[in-house]
Amino acid sequence: MAATTLYQSVGTLQSCRNNVNSGLCPDYGHVSFRSVSKGFKVDVGLLRGGSFCSRKRSSCVIQASASQAMVFDEASAPSSATTSDSNKKTSEAALILIRHGESMWNEKNLFTGCVDVPLTTKGVEEAVEAGKRISNIPVDMIYTSALIRAQMTAMLAMTQHRRKKVPTIIHEESEQAGAWSQIFSEDTNMQCIPVVTAWQLNERMYGELQGLNKQETADKYGSEQVHEWRRSYDIPPPNGESLEMCAERAVAYFTEHIEPQLASGKNIMIAAHGNSLRSIIMYLDKLTSQEVISLELATGIPMLYIFKEGRFIRRGSPPAPTEATVYAYTKKLAQYRQKLDDMFE
Ligand SMILES: O=C(O)[C@@H](CO)OP(=O)(O)O
């Protein structure tokens, strides 16, 4: 593909993103790209993967004239490509967020909070499906809450990763636990992904609602009261945490422990919970307390952000690898994808 064609395409993609950002497609990570040119094969080389919202919303159309890698990368758009520092290396890292798959208490419609319940079969399947969607995105470190449903989700998702590294839980609860879980082979170590568990990423503590049925509680206290407990920003349920309180510890953990890893170029996956992730997304997307209360996260759907030059760029939910659309996150991710293709095919 000639450079001009590439830039034209990128330009079209950029304007598509602009439209999306201006409201055509509110969840702007979920943009659908489709080819209108005969020679443009979306399933060739770097062009597999991609996304998204054509199911419900207007899709964006890009034109390309050859079956060659095309990557949307803000840093390589014409405006920045022509600047004198275009070769300057910029650090970039992927951040994947996944809410755990359906838990046994989600299924029973019980307030769960910090009660440690496992996934259902459906939750297991959702986690595996999530893993397929991120199977071509690099993961160097995983953070999960201290709760089994998030840990199961992370582990199950990683069974699908093409790189086939082994997630290994770091045990730092005691000196002995650390010493007894050491790995003595450098090669084996290189093929492992450290998994850090942190209570700060736990679901918000639901206080005296934990274990109660959501519908029965609404029948008893009124749906308005229950909605206030569940979705207000700063009103806690009886003896529990408000979203604001949950955000305080989850975001503090994110900025102190996770953001420095991203800044050093590590690609991170976080498997956590509806409310701890809403808190983190509020920070990443600079949402107001009004905006965050209407944000709902589905179980087992991964969301991708790119951390670049101190900014978080939302890229939406990666599609399953079988969905033949354009792989258009960043140049670096596309190169990683190509490397996987070369290594494993
Ligand atoms: O029960 C819970 O712990 C949470 C998440 O399932 O419920 P809610 O939807 O009220 O945030």
Side-chain angles (χ1 to χ4, degrees), residues 99 106 110-113 203 206 214 230-231 275:
R99 181 183 173 201
N106 289 144
L110 304 184
F111 286 102
T112 314
E203 181 54 287
Y206 244 125
K214 288 176 182 170
R230 292 184 68 186
R231 288 297 172 265
N275 292 295

Side-chain angles (χ1 to χ4, degrees), residues 97-101 143-145 149-150 153 201-203 270-274 276-277 280:
L97 309 179
I98 308 187
R99 181 183 173 201
H100 62 83
Y143 288 85
T144 76
S145 74
R149 57 192 186 273
T153 301
L201 299 174
N202 280 9
E203 181 54 287
I270 305 177
H273 305 264
S276 52
L277 289 175
I280 290 170

Side-chain angles (χ1 to χ4, degrees), residues 148-165:
I148 194 76
R149 57 192 186 273
Q151 297 177 7
M152 284 178 82
T153 301
M155 295 302 191
L156 289 164
M158 289 314 290
T159 62
Q160 302 302 307
H161 202 276
R162 285 180 69 204
R163 187 65 186 75
K164 295 288 173 229
K165 285 193 173 184

Side-chain angles (χ1 to χ4, degrees), residues 59-90:
S59 57
C60 306
V61 176
I62 58 168
Q63 301 196 25
S65 57
S67 57
Q68 189 178 340
M70 193 201 70
V71 173
F72 172 56
D73 180 12
E74 284 168 346
S76 65
S79 55
S80 59
T82 51
T83 59
S84 57
D85 65 351
S86 59
N87 290 330
K88 204 170 91 184
K89 279 201 176 142
T90 54

